[in-house]
Amino acid sequence: MGYGVPELVLELNGRTWTLDRSRTYTLGRDPQGDMVIDDPRVSWRHATVRWAESSWVVEDQGSTNGTYVRGRRMQQVEVEAGAAVRLGNATDGPRVAFTGTGQAVPHPRGEALRMQDAAAPSTPLPSTGASAQAAAWGPGSAPSAGARSGQQTGRQEPGDSVPPQHPAQQPAGTGPGDRSPTTFHRIDIGRVMRIGRALENELVVSDLQVSRHHAEFRATPDGRFEIVDLGSHNGTYVNGQPVRRRLIGPDDIVGVGHSTFRLVGDRLEEFVDTGEVSFSARHLTVTVDGGKQILKDVSFGVPEKSLIAVIGPSGSGKSTLLRALTGYRPADQGDVLYDNRNLYKQFAELRQRIGLVPQDDILHKELTVRTALKYAAKLRFPGDTQEAERETRIDEVLRELKLDVHRTKKITSLSGGQRKRVSVALELLTKPSLIFLDEPTSGLDPGMDRDVMQLLRGLADDGRTVLVVTHSVAELAICDQLLVMAPGGSVAYFGPPGEALNFFGYESWADVFSAFENYRDYDWAGRWRGSQHYRLYAADLEAVAPHPVRAQSPMSRPPKPQSWGSQLGTLIRRYLSVIASDRGFIGLMILLVPAILGGVSAVIPAKHGLMPPTPPDRFNSGAGMVMMILVVGMCFSGAAGSVRELIKERVIYERERATGLSRSAYLMSKVIVLGVITTLQAVIICAIGFSVREIPEEGVIMSATVELGVTVVAIGFTSMMVGLVISSLVRTAEKTMPLLVMFAIVQLVFTGTLFQVFGKPGLEQIAWLMPSRWAVGASGTTLDLSHLMPPWDRENPTDLDPLWEHTAGQWCIDMLVLALFAVACGFAVARLLRRHEPEVMRK
């Protein structure tokens, strides 16, 4: 007879529970659980405690950050009095302790504590310095948690699990690095194993990137296994490619959210991406038109949970490198490996694990911090994610970044460093393991510079790999590795920051950058490759021959986390929130501008209004002038309301597009909201302009007032679409105003009311390309301007403008052409938006 297992008391956060053998206890953030733990590192349903025949067992329920005993991550562990378990983190996660209360119950197994631990080491290696580790493991292949620890040698019960596959046996470039599996799962013949976020699944994955019922592993009659996607929002992947149904073998890697699975016999090895992954770039080369290389043979590798800084003078290719590393603009040659997996080939899946914070803010500054994150979470998480789950994740991120005290403040009211924290918070919503930042300290004072870099240091220490491109050299000492780019896009140094100045032989970075400028033709890359530092930190990566990326199989486009309709609804609500928070925009564009334009049309002399004249007057020339002002004014008002809308959100759109945003949903949200605003503007302009005029009762189809109002709305909508074209075409917001003014002037000239346009070869055809020409034509059809205005040719008064013909057919043609203009502009905007998207997202 072995040792006894006594009745247990569970201690957590100062509270105690005497455990009852007849029931199972749940631990996690779920308020309905038995032991509620309010800690962002703990999953919603993290673990359970239950009596199993002759011992108490703590079992992890597929948590994201793991359950640990004595620093080792485990799936299931038997506990007795004196044992302790950590949740979410091996060192400082919430501690669950067990103490005895009564007589021991005989325990036949004779073990007080046994682990079924798929990822834990038997004996850790002695700690070493950063340089020593890099020399021992080689750059870019720094050990993951499992690799540093060695192969597991703990005892296993027969039938409980199979030994994890040795790293050397894993398929190179497709598996989850050299990490040992997090846990194992058995698949029985004839049984279906369903994967998802909901607790009723056989395999629960506590990841908001995973749908409630995500996918199923099924055994086929011939003894093989297949993976079947259940209509998940973020997709199920095999070897990085999205699939609906596919047979899988031992060399296939199945991706679901932040977890990957490999089939070994009748068991699944599960690898949970908790940040313990390596990242490396190998022989990255980017060539632009003309054959010029702006990135030359860049190779480096970084270990897990590290902070890497990239510095270099202007023109050294830092931004190009960042786009190549993130997959936004893949290199023409070379590979980017995330956890030993090719990012370019498997971008559809791996994009969920990579965060990018551009130099410009990627949030709408008019919104409050919490509101901005709420809309971002709505767009990025699966459609079946409950609001409470999203709110909980937002609160976790705000607490982690110490932004909870600013949650109700508008982003525009925050300091530069705090705004950058909000941008980082947006990326942390999806728990990325790898985060890139482009010039996060640009424009910040030295104090904020230090705060931001310390924030990044903390993110790395919490289990993420962080790469930051920066011009600031004040805080490089807190980084683990430093990559220095030389002019021309080559590597001048890679290694510990503390050794960099000695390597270059200068006392300050100002001297180094001056040397780069003064000796631009010097072979800095050759000097680096001939150094001892190169042999320590990069030689292993250089040994792999480069190959062209473009010649590989095409990259698959990722699925969208939300349905098209759901994205459209969220985008419309967010856009309306942005507009509602900007009272100046509301007052200017919806009230002031239409009122002024309507007032201008009202003061134009028109003795007979818009009516036919009475004798002795033969014509009413003022009618054409009034309609010209209304049409041109609406051209300006409609285009002015949209001309900045896309350019000001370009960075936001580019980032959201990479996370699965629908281009058509984004464009349609702009069209709908701006269309409503333009309609309101047209109603106000017409109400003021027509209020002081006499208008005929009958038009060609309906009431003349209605026909004229529809015409003004149509030209406003078409001009709004032209404004979107301008906004998607320019590179800076400053260029929109000259184009807007030019558009309005051109529309004024070609209305056909200032001088004769019809019957003039060349001039008439150019006028056909102007929306104002057809809008005035529609209003001229309604009012019969051909006979209301004096003829251009008095000697031939029957030579009339064909676009003003007083018939229902001509009015419909004029309106149809305006509609075709608007549709053509919509297609043009959609095509122009493609220029600002990651290449993998382009159709």
Side-chain angles (χ1 to χ4, degrees):
M1 187 72 66
Y3 296 101
V5 179
E7 295 287 338
L8 285 189
V9 171
L10 185 151
E11 296 183 358
L12 174 66
N13 294 333
R15 297 185 58 189
T16 60
W17 291 263
T18 301
L19 302 183
D20 182 354
R21 297 187 187 186
S22 64
R23 59 169 298 189
T24 298
Y25 300 86
T26 61
L27 296 86
R29 295 199 326 273
D30 185 359
Q32 305 301 319
D34 298 295
M35 293 103 174
V36 182
I37 306 170
D38 186 16
D39 189 291
R41 296 166 296 182
V42 176
S43 295
W44 191 256
R45 190 174 187 266
H46 195 104
T48 59
V49 181
R50 60 183 174 84
W51 176 259
E53 298 181 356
S54 57
S55 63
W56 286 100
V57 173
V58 177
E59 184 175 3
D60 188 89
Q61 298 298 308
S63 66
T64 300
N65 294 321
T67 304
Y68 300 84
V69 174
R70 298 175 183 170
R72 301 163 62 186
R73 184 165 182 167
M74 61 80 181
Q75 172 66 20
Q76 181 173 299
V77 59
E78 297 175 5
V79 293
E80 66 170 7
V85 176
R86 292 275 185 182
L87 306 180
N89 188 283
T91 56
D92 62 353
R95 184 175 185 270
V96 181
F98 298 89
T99 58
T101 62
Q103 298 297 322
V105 177
H107 191 313
R109 294 194 184 184
E111 284 189 76
L113 186 69
R114 175 182 298 143
M115 295 184 189
Q116 297 170 350
D117 179 5
S122 54
T123 54
L125 293 175
S127 60
T128 59
S131 299
Q133 285 185 2
W137 289 95
S141 56
S144 61
R148 281 199 304 261
S149 309
Q151 188 68 24
Q152 178 180 346
T153 58
R155 295 181 54 186
Q156 297 174 345
E157 289 295 318
D160 280 352
S161 60
V162 294
Q165 195 174 16
H166 191 276
Q169 298 173 308
Q170 299 177 359
T174 59
D178 294 336
R179 293 180 290 124
S180 298
T182 305
T183 186
F184 303 95
H185 307 278
R186 180 190 294 275
I187 303 182
D188 297 328
I189 299 297
R191 178 189 173 196
V192 174
M193 177 179 287
R194 188 171 59 185
I195 305 174
R197 201 175 70 250
L199 299 181
E200 61 265 23
N201 293 288
E202 288 77 14
L203 203 164
V204 179
V205 180
S206 299
D207 182 357
L208 290 183
Q209 295 287 75
V210 176
S211 297
R212 292 182 59 81
H213 302 101
H214 196 102
E216 288 180 345
F217 282 103
R218 299 175 182 173
T220 62
D222 59 0
R224 294 187 295 174
F225 295 93
E226 67 176 354
I227 182 70
V228 179
D229 186 83
L230 300 179
S232 64
H233 296 273
N234 280 324
T236 302
Y237 302 85
V238 174
N239 301 327
Q241 305 304 313
V243 298
R244 287 298 181 185
R245 177 190 296 264
R246 179 167 169 176
L247 290 172
I248 57 175
D251 293 336
D252 293 321
I253 298 297
V254 179
V256 175
H258 285 74
S259 297
T260 52
F261 302 88
R262 177 186 284 121
L263 185 66
V264 180
D266 61 348
R267 299 177 187 274
L268 281 176
E269 294 181 348
E270 180 181 1
F271 301 81
V272 179
D273 186 348
T274 59
E276 297 178 348
V277 295
S278 61
F279 180 78
S280 61
R282 301 184 178 183
H283 301 287
L284 298 183
T285 298
V286 174
T287 305
V288 296
D289 295 339
K292 179 181 179 181
Q293 290 184 341
I294 56 177
L295 203 65
K296 299 179 181 178
D297 199 19
V298 174
S299 297
F300 66 95
V302 295
E304 63 195 42
K305 301 181 180 180
S306 56
L307 175 60
I308 307 96
V310 179
I311 64 173
S314 299
S316 59
K318 300 188 298 298
S319 297
T320 302
L321 174 62
L322 187 63
R323 297 180 70 85
L325 293 176
T326 56
Y328 274 47
R329 198 289 187 189
D332 298 290
Q333 283 188 326
D335 298 304
V336 176
L337 299 183
Y338 174 95
D339 198 20
N340 202 35
R341 303 173 65 186
N342 192 302
L343 175 65
Y344 295 160
K345 291 182 177 180
Q346 305 185 24
F347 179 85
E349 176 187 354
L350 297 180
R351 69 185 176 99
Q352 302 176 17
R353 312 186 193 182
I354 297 176
L356 173 62
V357 181
Q359 182 174 350
D360 297 325
D361 293 324
I362 52 178
L363 291 166
H364 293 87
K365 299 178 183 179
E366 300 88 352
L367 301 178
T368 64
V369 172
R370 188 178 186 84
T371 301
L373 294 180
K374 180 187 71 173
Y375 286 119
K378 178 69 173 175
L379 288 172
R380 295 194 179 195
F381 289 143
D384 61 2
T385 307
Q386 298 177 357
E387 183 177 358
E389 293 177 294
R390 294 194 299 267
E391 294 289 339
T392 299
R393 181 57 189 155
I394 291 172
D395 290 338
E396 292 172 356
V397 171
L398 291 176
R399 286 196 299 268
E400 181 179 0
L401 297 181
K402 298 180 176 58
L403 286 170
D404 46 340
V405 296
H406 303 295
R407 67 179 63 199
T408 59
K409 296 180 181 178
K410 284 189 176 183
I411 297 175
T412 187
S413 68
L414 301 178
S415 65
Q418 291 168 343
R419 286 200 301 270
K420 191 58 63 177
R421 283 177 179 264
V422 178
S423 294
V424 173
L426 183 148
E427 294 302 315
L428 292 186
L429 288 174
T430 54
K431 297 184 178 180
S433 300
L434 183 62
I435 302 177
F436 294 93
L437 300 99
D438 187 11
E439 299 287 356
T441 61
S442 177
L444 302 183
D445 61 50
M448 289 185 179
D449 182 352
R450 179 181 59 192
D451 292 342
V452 171
M453 292 301 292
Q454 288 178 345
L455 165 67
L456 303 184
R457 176 72 266 171
L459 294 177
D461 293 339
D462 286 342
R464 306 172 184 91
T465 298
V466 182
L467 187 146
V468 52
V469 174
T470 180
H471 277 109
S472 175
V473 297
E475 304 296 331
L476 295 179
I478 69 174
C479 300
D480 299 302
Q481 300 287 338
L482 175 64
L483 175 66
V484 182
M485 299 295 292
S490 58
V491 176
Y493 172 83
F494 178 74
E499 302 175 18
L501 287 176
N502 288 334
F503 170 81
F504 287 107
Y506 292 100
E507 296 183 356
S508 69
W509 283 108
D511 295 331
V512 174
F513 279 48
S514 295
F516 283 149
E517 181 64 28
N518 296 331
Y519 306 100
R520 298 186 69 88
D521 295 332
Y522 181 75
D523 187 8
W524 295 99
R527 181 177 184 272
W528 157 244
R529 287 189 172 89
S531 68
Q532 178 67 22
H533 285 79
Y534 168 80
R535 289 188 288 274
L536 284 175
Y537 304 119
D540 291 349
L541 291 174
E542 297 282 347
V544 182
H547 58 276
V549 173
R550 307 286 182 182
Q552 298 171 355
S553 57
M555 297 174 284
S556 298
R557 297 178 64 248
K560 299 176 178 61
Q562 300 278 333
S563 66
W564 189 89
S566 178
Q567 285 194 6
L568 177 62
T570 301
L571 290 168
I572 289 176
R573 289 192 296 271
R574 183 178 69 177
Y575 194 16
L576 290 175
S577 297
V578 172
I579 293 175
S581 65
D582 189 352
R583 297 180 180 177
F585 176 86
I586 295 175
L588 178 65
M589 297 306 301
I590 300 182
L591 298 177
L592 184 59
V593 170
I596 293 176
L597 294 176
V600 169
S601 68
V603 300
I604 295 176
K607 180 179 178 182
H608 303 286
L610 303 180
M611 300 288 291
T614 57
D617 296 328
R618 296 181 57 192
F619 301 106
N620 183 4
S621 58
M625 187 64 66
V626 170
M627 292 311 304
M628 181 193 71
I629 294 299
L630 286 173
V631 167
V632 174
M634 201 61 225
C635 283
F636 178 82
S637 182
S642 62
V643 75
R644 290 179 178 265
E645 289 305 305
L646 297 182
I647 182 63
K648 74 179 184 181
E649 292 185 358
R650 183 159 295 172
V651 177
I652 299 175
Y653 171 75
E654 181 176 341
R655 181 65 191 124
E656 290 182 341
R657 181 71 173 134
T659 62
L661 179 69
S662 167
R663 182 196 309 142
S664 59
Y666 175 79
L667 178 57
M668 188 57 65
S669 70
K670 296 293 184 184
V671 171
I672 292 174
V673 175
L674 291 173
V676 172
I677 293 175
T678 302
T679 301
L680 292 175
Q681 292 176 327
V683 169
I684 295 174
I685 289 176
C686 291
I688 297 175
F690 294 161
S691 63
V692 296
R693 308 291 185 189
E694 286 188 85
I695 301 177
E697 292 185 3
E698 298 295 331
V700 293
I701 295 179
M702 61 192 91
S703 165
T705 302
V706 174
E707 283 185 11
L708 293 174
V710 171
T711 299
V712 175
V713 170
I715 185 59
F717 186 87
T718 302
S719 299
M720 179 269 293
M721 297 300 297
V722 173
L724 290 179
V725 173
I726 296 173
S727 190
S728 61
L729 187 64
V730 299
R731 295 187 178 275
T732 61
E734 290 74 15
K735 295 180 181 179
T736 58
M737 285 299 103
L739 292 176
L740 173 63
V741 173
M742 182 176 66
F743 169 74
I745 293 176
V746 171
Q747 298 310 305
L748 174 64
V749 171
F750 288 97
T751 55
T753 56
L754 294 179
F755 55 89
Q756 181 179 348
V757 173
F758 68 93
K760 303 291 185 181
L763 184 65
E764 183 177 17
Q765 285 69 39
I766 294 176
W768 288 346
L769 302 177
M770 305 300 160
S772 63
R773 168 73 171 135
W774 297 92
V776 171
S779 63
T781 297
T782 299
L783 298 175
D784 194 14
L785 283 182
S786 292
H787 298 94
L788 199 62
M789 292 182 62
W792 298 110
D793 187 356
R794 305 225 176 219
E795 295 181 358
N796 187 13
T798 59
D799 189 10
L800 306 177
D801 193 330
L803 269 61
W804 294 359
E805 184 180 351
H806 190 58
T807 64
Q810 185 58 51
W811 188 85
C812 291
I813 291 174
D814 293 337
M815 298 301 294
L816 178 61
V817 172
L818 285 176
L820 292 177
F821 271 124
V823 172
C825 288
F827 279 108
V829 174
R831 298 293 296 176
L832 290 169
L833 283 175
R834 294 177 67 254
R835 302 184 308 163
H836 312 293
E837 300 172 357
E839 288 190 7
V840 72
M841 304 299 298
R842 302 177 186 175
K843 294 184 180 180

